[in-house]
Amino acid sequence: MEKIDNLSNGADFVRADLHIHSYGTDDGSFDVKDEQMTPENIVDTAIQNNLSIISITDHNEINNTRLATEYTEGKNILHIPGIEVSTTQGHLLVYFETFKLLRKFYGKLHISDDKQRCTQGIIECLDIAKPLGGIGVLAHIELDSGFEKVIDRF
């Protein structure tokens, strides 16, 4: 058994959290009330808890994602630029290789002034993300407002 346990399967496992919301009246998620949830505090806490990869994915906002990306430079942690888009069909997490690509994606979204809604659907958001190398993941699919319950055929 020890011989089997020592075999390499080619996979490296790391601790990660790819769905984090941050505070900020103009820069973070509209629904985060904890003023301690700044990008810097999030990164420092992740490092203290031995996370290797994180992503701040605020609702319909990217400014704190930029701050986190800058703050992680030179630190032993990877921040993946991302966003949680509140589409007409449910929430969609979208990740990009760089903040510049995320910003291009964000510039093509139609976000309400209060930042609580995006007027585009999931497929349209994925179509915007695809040429930019974005990866989409459905969020909260188990909720009544989740994609699988909003769109019956899924």
Side-chain angles (χ1 to χ4, degrees):
M1 188 64 163
E2 183 178 328
K3 188 175 181 179
I4 292 172
D5 286 340
N6 291 328
L7 289 176
S8 172
N9 62 7
D12 289 325
F13 292 92
V14 298
R15 292 174 45 104
D17 188 341
L18 300 178
H19 189 173
I20 303 171
H21 299 305
S22 69
Y23 174 80
T25 55
D26 294 322
D27 299 327
S29 283
F30 65 86
D31 57 342
V32 174
K33 307 299 182 209
D34 184 350
E35 295 179 13
Q36 297 302 309
M37 291 296 290
T38 65
E40 296 82 4
N41 284 347
I42 290 168
V43 170
D44 289 341
T45 300
I47 291 170
Q48 291 168 4
N49 286 284
N50 297 315
L51 271 72
S52 299
I53 304 169
I54 62 168
S55 183
I56 292 181
T57 53
D58 287 324
H59 292 120
N60 309 315
E61 181 55 69
I62 63 170
N63 287 329
N64 280 350
T65 298
R66 177 185 54 80
L67 295 173
T69 299
E70 292 170 358
Y71 189 69
T72 57
E73 287 182 26
K75 293 180 174 60
N76 193 24
I77 191 166
L78 171 65
H79 178 261
I80 298 173
I83 184 172
E84 182 171 352
V85 184
S86 303
T87 78
T88 59
Q89 299 166 316
H91 290 197
L92 177 69
L93 297 161
V94 188
Y95 305 99
F96 294 88
E97 186 175 346
T98 66
F99 179 77
K100 184 177 179 180
L101 292 169
L102 171 60
R103 188 174 57 227
K104 285 182 181 182
F105 170 77
Y106 185 74
K108 296 179 182 191
L109 298 178
H110 305 292
I111 305 290
S112 63
D113 290 339
D114 63 6
K115 297 186 183 176
Q116 293 189 26
R117 292 170 301 288
C118 173
T119 62
Q120 291 138 303
I122 288 175
I123 300 301
E124 186 177 352
C125 289
L126 290 171
D127 286 344
I128 295 168
K130 185 176 182 178
L132 300 171
I135 296 170
V137 177
L138 295 174
H140 315 296
I141 61 172
E142 77 286 356
L143 299 178
D144 287 338
S145 61
F147 182 74
E148 290 187 347
K149 293 194 179 170
V150 172
I151 308 299
D152 291 336
R153 68 178 188 253
F154 294 96

